[in-house]
Amino acid sequence: TSADYLQEVKIRSNTQSADINKSLIIFDGDVVVKQGSMEIKANRLTAQTNEDKTAKVLIATGQPATYTQMMENGLPANASANEIRYDIASNTLVMEGEATLEQTGNKVTGHQIRYNMETQRIIAEGSENSDERVITILQPQQLDHGDKTPPQEQQQSEEK
Amino acid sequence: MSRVTIITLLMFAIATGLYWQVQQKRAADQSSADDGTYQPDFVATELNSRVYDEAGNLSSRVHADSMEHYQALNLTIFGAPRYNVFPNEGGSQWQLSAKTGTLNNDTQNVLLEEGVLIEAISPNEPIKNITTSYLEVDLNSMIMTSNKALFVEGDDFDLTGVGLFADLNENKVNLLKQVEGTYHVE
């Protein structure tokens, strides 16, 4: 099947409200977002489309909002944060507020974690205004191989 | 039996008789209404009508294949009505159509039934149309409600749900239960 990020995004919730003037749709209550193997769960989801309709951002909030997805290497990635922001056009996930991401055995925590779902690479950032640092916990087998073995090169998917 | 008792019994008999007569008349009226013998006061075909607000702005326009007006009930029944409404101070335009429509002239509430289609006429509305089987529209407040299943088609998404509350003046559309949405990724 085609890569997750090329598939339709399915959303389920208790209620929905659309503010047409602001091109804003809000899904409330037991929100589940699915796109291929990716799944985000939250209390509320806001879908915002920009003026010229080129970018659509889904903002999931919860206590926490959670994300899970099957990686190319067959292992799951899991994340949670107070807010998970998914920019569909750029396939970027930004987790903010007590953010944690577990992927291929290592766990990253910080105020904000930025993650590219296409390349499955993490760009973790600590927040400037608090002394919260980015903590990465490597599993033992990662340590044996010296530095982290880069995820295998996934095959080139067709250009959008 | 004293005279007072006789008079009381007499009065009671008369009252019972009158009450019985009133009941008989009411039953007769009811049965005539029940078997649909209400006749429309006037009918029209290929009807076009325009409604203006106090400030003289066109607030709604209706076209219908057929129309029957019932003066006593102050109801107007339309066949294939097509309402054009201009909420949001004329900033947007929606077309509401259905197989049948019933307008309560007192409340200005119109009930649209069967094959209800709500279309956004103004170009850049993210919601293109909404379909359902039943819709209530308050032509004064431009609030639309439904308790049935609905399908909402948008630019690059669609939604289904049960129950609607939409305020066309505020340009807000809420689905009340069992919401499912799909975003098409280009």
Side-chain angles (χ1 to χ4, degrees):
Chain A
T1 61
S2 66
D4 285 346
Y5 64 87
L6 293 174
Q7 297 183 41
E8 279 182 343
V9 176
K10 295 272 183 187
I11 299 167
R12 222 184 41 239
S13 67
N14 293 342
T15 65
Q16 164 275 338
S17 62
D19 187 329
I20 295 172
N21 293 342
K22 296 180 186 144
S23 289
L24 190 68
I25 297 185
I26 299 168
F27 298 85
D28 258 317
D30 303 329
V31 183
V32 178
V33 182
K34 284 189 183 205
Q35 186 181 33
S37 76
M38 182 206 75
E39 184 172 274
I40 291 176
K41 289 188 175 172
N43 297 342
R44 163 174 280 207
L45 183 86
T46 305
Q48 175 87 56
T49 308
N50 66 350
E51 200 64 41
D52 52 15
K53 302 205 167 84
T54 52
K56 183 180 303 300
V57 179
L58 305 181
I59 303 168
T61 49
Q63 280 85 35
T66 62
Y67 152 85
T68 179
Q69 182 169 26
M70 211 44 87
M71 315 282 296
E72 299 271 336
N73 56 22
L75 295 173
N78 297 295
S80 70
N82 298 336
E83 178 184 289
I84 297 178
R85 195 186 180 83
Y86 173 27
D87 182 334
I88 296 183
S90 66
N91 302 311
T92 311
L93 218 55
V94 177
M95 289 155 269
E96 200 149 313
E98 297 162 37
T100 72
L101 176 68
E102 273 185 83
Q103 182 194 22
T104 57
N106 71 53
K107 182 171 180 177
V108 179
T109 62
H111 173 68
Q112 185 191 77
I113 298 174
R114 202 179 280 273
Y115 175 73
N116 185 311
M117 297 162 76
E118 198 172 344
T119 61
Q120 288 156 15
R121 292 205 181 286
I122 304 172
I123 313 144
E125 288 153 27
S127 73
E128 306 78 41
N129 48 24
S130 85
D131 58 7
E132 206 181 324
R133 284 165 296 106
V134 175
I135 302 160
T136 303
I137 302 159
L138 295 178
Q139 288 311 313
Q141 77 273 22
Q142 246 89 16
L143 298 178
D144 296 347
H145 298 153
D147 61 349
K148 226 171 33 170
T149 48
Q152 316 86 323
E153 286 312 311
Q154 75 267 15
Q155 78 282 23
Q156 199 51 36
S157 58
E158 76 286 358
E159 278 315 307
K160 272 204 305 240
Chain B
M1 213 186 284
S2 71
R3 213 174 328 145
V4 170
T5 317
I6 294 168
I7 291 169
T8 314
L9 282 177
L10 206 61
M11 296 293 283
F12 182 72
I14 292 168
T16 312
L18 282 174
Y19 178 73
W20 181 75
Q21 239 184 9
V22 165
Q23 286 308 317
Q24 283 301 96
K25 182 157 186 335
R26 184 169 289 167
D29 281 355
Q30 186 57 40
S31 73
S32 79
D34 280 354
D35 61 28
T37 53
Y38 270 106
Q39 293 303 325
D41 295 278
F42 47 85
V43 297
T45 54
E46 291 307 321
L47 165 93
N48 278 295
S49 130
R50 291 164 179 267
V51 177
Y52 294 87
D53 63 20
E54 290 90 14
N57 305 314
L58 180 62
S59 73
S60 70
R61 204 176 56 219
V62 61
H63 167 86
D65 291 357
S66 68
M67 181 275 276
E68 294 171 358
H69 181 67
Y70 296 81
Q71 197 64 39
L73 305 168
N74 211 359
L75 281 184
T76 306
I77 296 177
F78 297 109
R82 252 194 347 264
Y83 265 90
N84 272 272
V85 293
F86 307 88
N88 212 359
E89 282 147 11
S92 25
Q93 181 184 347
W94 297 79
Q95 179 167 286
L96 321 174
S97 54
K99 193 168 173 219
T100 67
T102 307
L103 170 66
N104 180 320
N105 292 283
D106 294 334
T107 59
Q108 282 300 297
N109 262 17
V110 60
L111 310 187
L112 295 176
E113 293 171 282
E114 286 185 66
V116 181
L117 173 62
I118 305 155
E119 285 175 286
I121 304 299
S122 9
N124 45 19
E125 297 282 357
I127 288 183
K128 289 198 283 198
N129 62 62
I130 303 170
T131 49
T132 182
S133 56
Y134 175 85
L135 186 72
E136 287 181 34
V137 187
D138 180 330
L139 292 172
N140 291 322
S141 64
M142 290 289 164
I143 288 189
M144 304 192 300
T145 55
S146 175
N147 54 5
K148 298 291 189 229
L150 303 106
F151 179 80
V152 178
E153 190 187 339
D155 276 342
D156 55 2
F157 67 90
D158 39 63
L159 302 169
T160 62
V162 175
L164 172 80
F165 179 90
D167 183 333
L168 294 185
N169 279 330
E170 294 285 321
N171 235 358
K172 289 189 170 149
V173 174
N174 299 357
L175 293 179
L176 307 182
K177 277 191 303 192
Q178 299 157 33
V179 175
E180 293 198 12
T182 302
Y183 277 87
H184 311 296
V185 177
E186 281 85 39

